[in-house]
Amino acid sequence: MSTEQILYHIEQCRQKMMFLASRSSMVDNEVIEVSSKLDSLIIQYIHLTKNEDLMDRRALK
């Protein structure tokens, strides 16, 4: 997945989590499940951008 795709999924997941939390609470099982998915997407994004940054630095050498 590209960084743009991950960012899109992060935003979709964030909006879903906020919507669900507004209807119930932040400790609702469904909210927690979506929050966990959001965490996973954010970690993927961090790893992807970190790897891209390392590749850019190597290309400059």
Side-chain angles (χ1 to χ4, degrees), residues 8-61:
Y8 173 80
H9 289 292
I10 286 172
E11 182 59 22
Q12 295 300 307
C13 199
R14 185 191 70 77
Q15 288 180 13
K16 181 176 181 179
M17 183 184 71
M18 297 305 293
F19 173 75
L20 291 170
S22 72
R23 289 183 27 222
S24 59
S25 74
M26 291 298 282
V27 294
D28 180 77
N29 286 336
E30 193 174 9
V31 174
I32 292 170
E33 185 178 311
V34 174
S35 176
S36 178
K37 181 177 180 178
L38 178 59
D39 291 344
S40 176
L41 287 166
I42 291 169
I43 291 168
Q44 285 180 36
Y45 178 79
I46 290 168
H47 285 295
L48 185 61
T49 56
K50 185 177 181 180
N51 288 338
E52 287 176 353
D53 185 46
L54 287 173
M55 288 173 32
D56 289 345
R57 286 182 189 183
R58 288 181 184 153
L60 293 175
K61 289 184 179 182

